[in-house]
Amino acid sequence: MTVLRGNPRRIAALGGCLLLLAPPLYLSSFWLQTGLFAMVAVIAAIGLNILVGTAGQLSLGHAFFLAVGAYGYTWLADGSHRSGMTEVSGVGLPPLLAFVVAILLAGAAGAAFSPLSGRLRGMYLGVATLALVFFGHHAMLNAESYTGGFNGRSVPAMEILGLSLGDADDGLAVLGVPFGGLERLWYFGLVLVAVAALTARNMLRGRPGRALGALRDSEVAAAVMGVPAGRYRAAAFTVSSMYAGAAGALLALASQRIVPDYFSLLLSMDMLAMIVIGGLGSVAGAALGAVFVSVLPQLLAHYADALPLVVVAGSNEPGLGSGDAARYLYGAALVLTLVFAPGGLVGLTGRRLSPPWRRRPPGNAGSLKSALPSASSTASTTSVDSIADGNTLKEHTQ
């Protein structure tokens, strides 16, 4: 209690964790499914934020690595059998081991691409990763013995210590509430989100995070400080791919069947919208943006009858489908974030919204605080400036 006293953030975090333990006891399967999809988005967005927000590398191929994790888990955990007219293969590993190996498989795919990610930057890396999405979609459609082709394949349930996290009818109940597959999978997803968030937070606050931040701000300054740019960029891409693999495997478990259309370019664009709306470079911001973008379509679909201009899927009435309406809304949220709150949702804490034409330029002499170096400035910039000043002084002395 002494540790929590006087620390509102820690108290709020503990309260949020306790609150997230309760939904399986009260909510219906629809809300649990929506929450699981939000957890998938949170894990994937945290990984993408490491690459884009911290390392400053643009990636449009995050959907490919989610597909590697999803299909990797399904292939590793499932055995060979006939699905419809297609004979699909499988390894038949224990599900928990298959889940871990699927994450490593996604990391290996990222590491295989890392030589390019270590050399390319900005738009060029974005175009290169875009090719991964089209290559992956083609492979998922044509490698039918592994992926099931266009119709996909069913996903084997997760089992931990003999307890199935699928639709098992074993009579398990907690406080009188039957605990089926979604209820059990909810807590498995919470553990994954906690591990992903804590790992990213510790990494970004440590030496790797400072090195990636220095590379993002100034590659020349980072090189002066001895930071190997190519190695750190490749490592960031690999770690981000492992996060995507974990998210993809959890997505497979939550949906119970995976098809190639899940992992299209739209998914990659949604991921980018998540981290921009939530706040680049922030683990909490990535989580907030992921929840907003992933939950919004589900809410619009659920309440389509009560909302104006939104129609139920398959209806012939004039209006917008829930998916299109959701993209319009978070597209508008993306524009508003870029204009009024560049720091994202997480940057709004304790700050007022102000339009860009009313913001004071950072070099304005009206404030002593604005004239001093900010706490977020990297030491690398200072190092380069001091070296440049020393050379200039030496020239004047000579």
Side-chain angles (χ1 to χ4, degrees), residues 174-390:
V174 177
L175 298 178
V177 177
F179 256 50
L182 288 177
E183 288 81 3
R184 303 175 192 184
L185 195 59
W186 177 274
Y187 293 110
F188 180 72
L190 281 183
V191 172
L192 289 179
V193 170
V195 171
L198 291 176
T199 302
R201 178 176 175 269
N202 292 333
M203 183 178 66
L204 296 182
R205 290 189 174 186
R207 184 175 179 179
R210 293 193 296 269
L212 291 175
L215 283 174
R216 176 197 61 205
D217 294 339
S218 173
E219 185 174 347
V220 175
V224 170
M225 297 178 68
V227 176
R231 190 173 70 184
Y232 270 96
R233 287 205 185 98
F237 200 92
T238 303
V239 171
S240 177
S241 303
M242 294 177 70
Y243 271 84
L250 182 59
L251 175 62
L253 290 171
S255 58
Q256 299 180 357
R257 187 174 188 84
I258 50 175
V259 294
D261 287 344
Y262 284 176
F263 310 99
S264 63
L265 180 59
L266 286 177
L267 180 59
S268 293
M269 302 306 295
D270 288 346
M271 292 291 159
L272 282 176
M274 290 174 190
I275 61 174
V276 174
I277 292 174
L280 290 172
S282 168
V283 175
L288 287 174
V291 170
F292 175 78
V293 172
S294 62
V295 170
L296 186 60
Q298 305 293 329
L299 293 179
L300 291 178
H302 190 67
Y303 295 108
D305 292 334
L307 295 173
L309 304 178
V310 180
V311 297
V312 181
S315 174
N316 294 326
E317 298 179 2
L320 291 173
S322 59
D324 294 334
R327 284 193 165 83
Y328 279 121
L329 286 176
Y330 70 68
L334 182 62
V335 173
L336 291 174
T337 300
L338 293 174
V339 174
F340 294 98
L345 294 176
V346 74
L348 296 179
T349 307
R351 297 182 183 179
R352 284 189 309 176
L353 287 176
S354 61
W357 54 85
R358 290 186 179 179
R359 293 179 194 145
R360 177 176 296 176
N364 200 355
S367 170
L368 178 61
K369 184 177 180 180
S370 64
L372 294 175
S374 62
S376 61
S377 299
T378 59
S380 58
T381 306
T382 307
S383 301
V384 172
D385 291 341
S386 61
I387 292 172
D389 292 340

